[in-house]
Amino acid sequence: MANVAKTYTLREESTESGTKYFISFKDGQGEHHKPEVSEQLFFEFRQMERRNREQKRTVWIELSAKKDRLSQKKTVVTRPSSHFL
């Protein structure tokens, strides 16, 4: 499975006045940005990351199971029948 790199980084920063949330990224011109975002937006990104990881995990499990089934079919097809021995 291809491992696609994230195009952004999430960061929390604790200060005396509370927690600040940032999403840093590089724009199409190659410039880095790290705007402060709301707590709600920050946690929406976190939830999106979790959903994406779970989806990738599910697809990987499904593909592995399919590969195993195909491998078992090949084994059955290529194994000589005992009544021919």
Side-chain angles (χ1 to χ4, degrees):
M1 176 181 289
N3 188 7
V4 179
K6 289 191 318 183
T7 57
Y8 62 90
T9 303
L10 299 175
R11 185 171 60 86
E12 291 179 67
E13 188 177 290
S14 295
T15 64
E16 289 180 11
S17 60
T19 305
K20 293 184 177 185
Y21 303 95
F22 300 90
I23 297 178
S24 60
F25 60 93
K26 192 188 298 188
D27 67 15
Q29 304 300 316
E31 294 184 41
H32 284 85
H33 301 274
K34 61 173 195 173
E36 184 175 354
V37 297
S38 69
E39 179 181 22
Q40 181 181 357
L41 180 62
F42 183 85
F43 284 104
E44 285 296 325
F45 266 82
R46 281 268 165 95
Q47 284 296 102
M48 180 181 66
E49 288 180 330
R50 287 187 186 107
R51 286 190 303 268
N52 288 345
R53 274 195 307 272
E54 184 59 34
Q55 183 180 26
K56 286 178 185 179
R57 198 173 298 123
T58 300
V59 168
W60 185 86
I61 290 168
E62 290 171 356
L63 289 175
S64 293
K66 186 174 185 176
K67 181 180 174 185
D68 289 345
R69 286 191 304 273
L70 289 173
S71 177
Q72 289 172 358
K73 282 183 180 181
K74 283 182 181 179
T75 303
V76 170
V77 170
T78 59
R79 189 174 16 183
S81 177
S82 60
H83 62 77
F84 288 118
L85 298 176

